[in-house]
Amino acid sequence: MKRLLFLATVLIQFAVGFSQPIHTAVPERQPGQLDAIAMTAPAIDCVRIGFVGLGMRGTSAVERFCNIPDSRVAALCDTEQQAIDRSLRTLRAHGIDNVPAYCGTEAYKELCERDDIDLVYICTDWASHVPIALYAMQHGKHVAIEVPAATAMDDIWKLINTSELTRKHCMMLENCVYDFFEMACLNMAQQGLFGEVLHVEGAYLHNLDQFWDEYWHNWRLDYNYKHRGDVYPTHGIGPDCQVLNIHRGDRMDYLVSMDTKSVNGKKHMEKRTGKECNDFANGDQTSTLIRTANGKTILLQHNVMTPRPYSRMFQITGTDGYASKYPREELCFREETLAENISPDYQNLSSHAALPDSISKKITRKYLPQFVKDIEAKAREVGGHGGMDYIMDYRLIYCLHRGLPLDIDVYDMAEWCCISELSRISIENGSAPVAIPDFTRGAWTKTKGFKYAF
């Protein structure tokens, strides 16, 4: 009997221990270091921008900023001269001459050291994002970093601490929060149309079969080969976190993740190397479930390996309504919600079926933020993923020009990027729960009831 009691006690202790989330280190703030919640910086009359990385994303960014008011392309940098020359031709086509340019693996340092640059806009490969951003902030520049800004927890904390110490903005260029349907749904959520939002979903489901070889030195496939977990979470989780007001009255508490084995990833590597590959780290499909401090849930998926329609799986489930973007935009509300918030004429509509497209489009249009309506024609003309890139850049300059807090702050960057390493930790520990750090270190409650000022 004693032996059975002993074994039962051990099993209970093991089960309780396993149910406790795995924690990662949270560094303490240094003396005099303050949080960056709703941080502002002095208004800038004309934002002078230095671009580092002129490949797939950087080239189009330079083109967009030729069309954005209150900004100026001040310098260019890349490791290859042909990329620089391509962007210089773009600038000359817009009547912009004599822009200084720097070429080389550490040439970004010369750009960051200039005293006529306010913002460093980083569009390099993932591995070089953090050192460039740190150097730029340390030399008095705001930074905007392509996604994902960082992929390791140590690097995430370095970006947070440097931004807090220097009081320089560190924004991640997550364009998907600026897509038209997502912005309309965020406004609906903040106006209460969905009631209390309980569950959201997001994903990056994009078969990259035809695109792997377009990445400089094949860096993206190589990253998937070496890293397990959801390595590209920000497109899916960014809109979700905004809807849930993460670190603005709620925070992500913990996650659990699991993945499939690698089949297509392994084949891609074998095709390019001619060698057998038995150690491809990233599963073809990765799924992550997150719970927040206020009892909300987030479902994320990542799959760039199998044939399927492109989807970011954007979905909102609330006590009074529902929205979904893929495979088609859909809204669903209670009849009384429609009557109160849209029109009393909407009667006899089912609350367990999508609204007719004609009504759904009217609602989406009504709740599209006014500033988006004001620049929509220009955004669609200039382009960038249908216009959302232009809206993202416009808002960044709008806020810097007026000395306002940015829509996406350094804590958003951290929360959206941390999923990469934390999902790996969960998977490698049998899908154990992993705690998501409070990157604000206690400051997230200061903005309870926050609403985006669109």
Side-chain angles (χ1 to χ4, degrees):
M1 179 63 71
K2 289 182 179 180
R3 178 178 173 82
L4 289 174
L5 287 173
F6 172 77
L7 289 174
T9 301
V10 169
L11 288 171
I12 290 170
Q13 289 176 340
F14 175 80
V16 171
F18 188 78
S19 68
Q20 298 303 308
I22 298 169
H23 285 78
T24 56
V26 177
E28 293 185 3
R29 284 196 176 97
Q30 297 302 307
Q33 183 177 332
L34 303 174
D35 71 71
I37 291 287
M39 187 176 76
T40 61
I44 304 171
D45 183 49
C46 179
V47 181
R48 301 164 297 181
I49 310 164
F51 290 85
V52 181
L54 302 169
M56 295 196 318
R57 293 293 180 90
T59 299
S60 56
V62 170
E63 173 80 37
R64 289 195 304 276
F65 272 94
C66 293
N67 296 276
I68 293 178
D70 304 316
S71 71
R72 176 170 65 84
V73 178
L76 302 174
C77 178
D78 198 89
T79 59
E80 297 180 359
Q81 188 61 45
Q82 62 182 5
I84 294 172
D85 292 340
R86 182 172 59 242
S87 287
L88 288 172
R89 288 193 295 271
T90 295
L91 293 174
R92 285 194 291 270
H94 286 270
I96 304 171
D97 292 309
N98 302 318
V99 174
Y102 302 89
C103 186
T105 55
E106 293 199 339
Y108 69 87
K109 293 182 178 179
E110 295 181 75
L111 182 147
C112 293
E113 291 164 3
R114 294 181 65 95
D115 59 8
D116 61 349
I117 290 176
D118 305 298
L119 169 70
V120 176
Y121 197 101
I122 303 167
C123 297
T124 58
D125 65 288
W126 300 352
S128 59
H129 285 174
V130 174
I132 298 170
L134 293 175
Y135 198 84
M137 285 189 284
Q138 289 161 356
H139 287 78
K141 311 300 188 289
H142 301 296
V143 295
I145 318 169
E146 259 298 345
V147 298
T151 57
M153 295 298 289
D154 286 348
D155 284 340
I156 289 171
W157 283 114
K158 287 177 185 177
L159 290 173
I160 291 173
N161 286 332
T162 303
S163 177
E164 289 183 348
L165 280 167
T166 62
R167 313 311 290 173
K168 293 299 176 182
H169 290 297
C170 179
M171 174 184 173
M172 184 164 63
L173 295 164
E174 182 40 77
N175 56 355
C176 292
V177 305
Y178 293 98
D179 212 349
F180 297 94
F181 187 72
E182 282 87 335
M183 294 211 74
C185 286
L186 174 59
N187 194 23
M188 290 181 213
Q190 301 226 307
Q191 299 301 322
L193 265 70
F194 299 112
E196 183 177 1
V197 176
L198 299 175
H199 175 77
V200 289
E201 299 186 11
Y204 187 70
L205 308 176
H206 186 189
N207 181 22
L208 295 181
D209 281 2
Q210 300 175 355
F211 304 104
W212 290 118
D213 295 328
E214 295 183 12
Y215 293 95
W216 179 73
H217 292 185
N218 207 33
W219 67 262
R220 188 159 181 180
L221 180 61
D222 185 63
Y223 192 91
N224 280 262
Y225 165 65
K226 295 176 180 177
H227 294 85
R228 198 172 182 184
D230 188 334
V231 298
Y232 201 60
T234 71
H235 285 340
I237 199 171
D240 289 349
C241 285
Q242 286 196 332
V243 167
L244 292 179
N245 276 346
I246 296 300
H247 83 251
R248 299 169 176 91
D250 196 1
R251 60 174 295 268
M252 294 189 291
D253 191 7
Y254 65 91
L255 62 76
V256 291
S257 296
M258 63 180 62
D259 61 359
T260 69
K261 63 182 180 179
S262 171
V263 179
N264 286 346
K266 173 183 172 182
K267 289 179 181 177
H268 284 304
M269 187 59 68
E270 290 177 343
K271 178 181 178 181
R272 283 157 182 79
T273 64
K275 301 177 182 179
E276 185 176 6
C277 175
N278 293 313
D279 57 350
F280 198 96
N282 201 251
D284 283 2
Q285 170 93 16
T286 301
S287 300
T288 300
L289 190 61
I290 301 167
R291 186 174 173 86
T292 76
N294 290 343
K296 315 299 180 66
T297 55
I298 305 171
L299 174 63
L300 292 180
Q301 294 187 28
H302 175 266
N303 184 335
V304 294
M305 296 296 179
T306 67
R308 60 188 303 169
Y310 177 90
S311 172
R312 297 197 300 275
M313 214 172 75
F314 178 64
Q315 187 180 118
I316 300 171
T317 300
T319 57
D320 296 326
Y322 167 90
S324 180
K325 183 171 183 177
Y326 298 93
R328 57 189 293 271
E329 294 179 5
E330 291 185 330
L331 295 174
C332 179
F333 295 105
R334 299 182 190 278
E335 182 179 314
E336 54 266 33
T337 300
L338 290 170
E340 180 178 348
N341 296 281
I342 311 298
S343 170
D345 298 329
Y346 295 146
Q347 298 177 359
N348 301 319
L349 292 173
S350 173
S351 61
H352 60 84
L355 293 173
D357 284 349
S358 59
I359 297 176
S360 180
K361 288 178 180 178
K362 287 180 181 179
I363 297 172
T364 302
R365 188 68 192 177
K366 175 179 178 178
Y367 283 91
L368 191 66
Q370 186 58 49
F371 93 90
V372 179
K373 296 176 182 177
D374 293 341
I375 65 170
E376 181 177 3
K378 187 68 173 180
R380 294 190 185 279
E381 175 194 343
V382 174
H385 294 92
M388 62 184 178
D389 293 358
Y390 181 90
I391 298 171
M392 172 185 70
D393 292 335
Y394 177 93
R395 277 293 295 183
L396 169 59
I397 298 304
Y398 181 94
C399 293
L400 290 175
H401 177 62
R402 289 162 176 80
L404 301 172
L406 302 189
D407 301 334
I408 301 173
D409 65 20
V410 69
Y411 305 124
D412 292 311
M413 176 281 300
E415 290 151 353
W416 305 352
C417 288
C418 77
I419 306 304
S420 293
E421 183 166 353
L422 300 186
S423 62
R424 174 189 63 78
I425 293 172
S426 176
I427 291 168
E428 291 180 351
N429 286 275
S431 297
V434 178
I436 299 173
D438 173 11
F439 293 103
T440 73
R441 289 176 279 208
W444 62 278
T445 58
K446 290 165 58 173
T447 49
K448 189 174 182 179
F450 171 90
K451 288 188 177 181
Y452 290 88
F454 295 146

